[in-house]
């Protein structure tokens, strides 16, 4: 199995402020609509292939889910599809929302 780097939420916040990464939310649509990291893309089965085909594989990607478990698998999927710089956000959105701002869709 691929060893996926995990990023802590304070590191993720820094990347967000630096606009150094694309943030990818893989939670269900209702959760994304209710609240998400500012600027995060909502990826699901219907649009993930388009993202993979149209995104520079050198672009840094931070993947998050609810608690940081499902995002590990999603991050591995991106690595398998050629992405070079992918991390899973530890603690997921639940950890983020306790510390930092988030926005509705």
């Amino acid at each position: 199995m691929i060893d996926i780097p995990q990023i802590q939420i304070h590191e993720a916040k820094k990347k967000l402020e630096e606009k150094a990464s694309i943030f990818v939310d893989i939670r269900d649509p209702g959760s994304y609509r209710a609240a998400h990291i500012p600027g995060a893309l909502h990826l699901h089965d219907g649009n993930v292939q388009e993202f993979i085909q149209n995104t520079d594989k050198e672009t840094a990607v931070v993947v998050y889910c609810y608690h940081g478990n499902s995002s590990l698998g999603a991050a591995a999927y991106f690595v398998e599809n050629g992405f070079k710089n992918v991390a899973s956000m530890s603690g997921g959105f639940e950890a983020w929302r306790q510390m930092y701002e988030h926005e509705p869709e």
Side-chain angles (χ1 to χ4, degrees):
M1 187 172 147
I2 302 168
D3 188 28
I4 298 300
Q6 294 192 52
I7 186 171
Q8 301 301 316
I9 57 171
H10 61 275
E11 294 172 66
K13 174 72 168 162
K14 187 175 176 191
K15 286 184 178 288
L16 182 71
E17 289 169 348
E18 295 169 351
K19 298 183 177 16
S21 299
I22 295 174
F23 280 71
V24 170
D25 187 321
I26 61 162
R27 298 173 304 145
D28 70 88
S31 295
Y32 177 81
R33 279 193 300 275
H36 56 268
I37 293 174
L41 299 174
H42 183 237
L43 293 188
H44 48 78
D45 290 345
N47 67 359
V48 71
Q49 289 305 319
E50 180 181 354
F51 175 81
I52 288 169
Q53 290 170 1
N54 297 329
T55 305
D56 182 350
K57 302 302 185 280
E58 301 293 329
T59 303
V61 178
V62 175
V63 184
Y64 70 93
C65 57
Y66 296 97
H67 301 288
N69 299 318
S70 299
S71 56
L72 285 169
Y77 183 74
F78 290 128
V79 170
E80 289 164 2
N81 280 278
F83 284 82
K84 308 277 189 273
N85 186 356
V86 182
S88 171
M89 191 172 77
S90 295
F93 187 72
E94 292 307 312
W96 176 280
R97 77 184 318 156
Q98 293 172 21
M99 300 283 293
Y100 300 120
E101 65 183 283
H102 47 276
E103 62 186 23
E105 188 171 39

